[in-house]
Amino acid sequence: SQQGEEDPQALSIQEGENATMNCSYKTSINNLQWYRQNSGRGLVHLILIRSNEREKHSGRLRVTLDTSKKSSSLLITASRAADTASYFCATVASGGTSYGKLTFGQGTILTVHP
Amino acid sequence: ETGVTQTPRHLVMGMTNKKSLKCEQHLGHNAMYWYKQSAKKPLELMFVYSLEERVENNSVPSRFSPECPNSSHLFLHLHTLQPEDSALYLCASSHFSRLQETQYFGPGTRLLVL
């Protein structure tokens, strides 16, 4: 199975509500990243959290990392219709390669209704 | 705009055709990546170039041939493709000195093989 599996696969909420997406992975990581993709477009980096960090904020985004459970969560507060997109977590394994090999999950499709 | 451009944005080709996808980055990066995104599958890393040298060939069929003539340009040459190769092909770039950091993605080329 894939490193970086998101849960839920799809999430539908109303504008103003919070959205929480979870990601689980299997191997030790150097860092974990969250990306956003609007339909059929490229990915946009949202936030990076290192293995020695537990929580990180960026605007309305809050990411947590629990390395003991090999899991991460992305919280989007006060969601907007413009947040409608697919959200992916991606991990960079610790050790191993000398370059940035990202391993992606299947993503969570978030729909925010106005 | 992420600073990574891809052309063409859409491509329809027959199985006997030869075509090329082009990626250009304007970020001063010197690591570049090709990913394949198929429906209902996670992003798959295809190739990585670091300082213009291929450092990863992720078991990709030989009908896909990458080329990196300099640190700003990356090509993916396609020949005798199969219908299952239809997908969104994404290019990304990152800093060599920070290879485990953020990758910046282009908008992708939507490829349809008939």
Side-chain angles (χ1 to χ4, degrees):
Chain A
S1 57
Q2 297 292 331
Q3 177 89 328
E5 297 186 4
E6 286 91 339
D7 166 58
Q9 291 188 350
L11 181 60
S12 182
I13 59 174
Q14 295 296 126
E15 216 168 24
E17 293 179 342
N18 295 342
T20 299
M21 289 160 268
N22 303 296
C23 169
S24 60
Y25 57 91
K26 297 188 187 311
T27 62
S28 295
I29 60 171
N30 175 285
N31 66 72
L32 184 145
Q33 303 178 31
W34 284 91
Y35 287 82
R36 165 199 168 121
Q37 183 180 35
N38 287 76
S39 180
R41 309 274 303 183
L43 278 71
V44 175
H45 177 258
L46 295 176
I47 200 162
L48 180 153
I49 187 165
R50 300 184 189 285
S51 59
N52 61 351
E53 297 176 310
R54 292 296 166 259
E55 188 171 311
K56 210 160 182 183
H57 297 256
S58 176
R60 293 184 297 111
L61 306 180
R62 173 178 168 253
V63 168
T64 62
L65 179 64
D66 187 336
T67 53
S68 67
K69 296 181 180 178
K70 291 188 168 58
S71 67
S72 174
S73 67
L74 170 67
L75 168 67
I76 304 174
T77 60
S79 63
R80 305 166 182 167
D83 294 329
T84 295
S86 293
Y87 292 81
F88 297 89
C89 70
T91 55
V92 176
S94 58
T97 60
S98 60
Y99 53 88
K101 182 172 180 177
L102 287 174
T103 303
F104 284 86
Q106 295 216 343
T108 293
I109 300 172
L110 174 66
T111 304
V112 182
H113 300 281
Chain B
E1 281 296 326
T2 62
V4 181
T5 59
Q6 289 186 244
T7 55
R9 295 294 310 280
H10 300 272
L11 179 62
V12 180
M13 60 187 288
M15 289 189 284
T16 58
N17 291 158
K18 288 184 180 181
K19 296 287 185 184
S20 295
L21 309 185
K22 179 183 176 182
C23 176
E24 184 173 358
Q25 58 92 5
H26 311 275
L27 301 169
H29 293 164
N30 44 22
M32 297 187 77
Y33 311 77
W34 279 117
Y35 289 88
K36 175 183 178 182
Q37 186 177 32
S38 306
K40 306 207 184 292
K41 291 178 70 175
L43 268 77
E44 301 171 66
L45 178 65
M46 300 175 72
F47 301 104
V48 181
Y49 278 82
S50 178
L51 297 178
E52 300 157 40
E53 179 182 341
R54 191 190 307 177
V55 294
E56 173 95 2
N57 177 352
N58 213 19
S59 303
V60 179
S62 60
R63 57 186 183 269
F64 294 92
S65 175
E67 179 190 0
C68 187
N70 56 61
S71 61
S72 298
H73 294 87
L74 185 65
F75 295 89
L76 188 62
H77 304 298
L78 316 171
H79 63 97
T80 58
L81 294 192
Q82 304 298 311
E84 60 264 29
D85 297 322
S86 298
L88 181 67
Y89 289 86
L90 293 163
C91 171
S93 69
S94 69
H95 282 287
F96 172 76
S97 61
R98 300 196 291 272
L99 284 175
Q100 296 183 337
E101 302 293 318
T102 303
Q103 291 182 18
Y104 293 80
F105 285 79
T109 295
R110 175 71 63 187
L111 173 66
L112 177 62
V113 181
L114 301 177

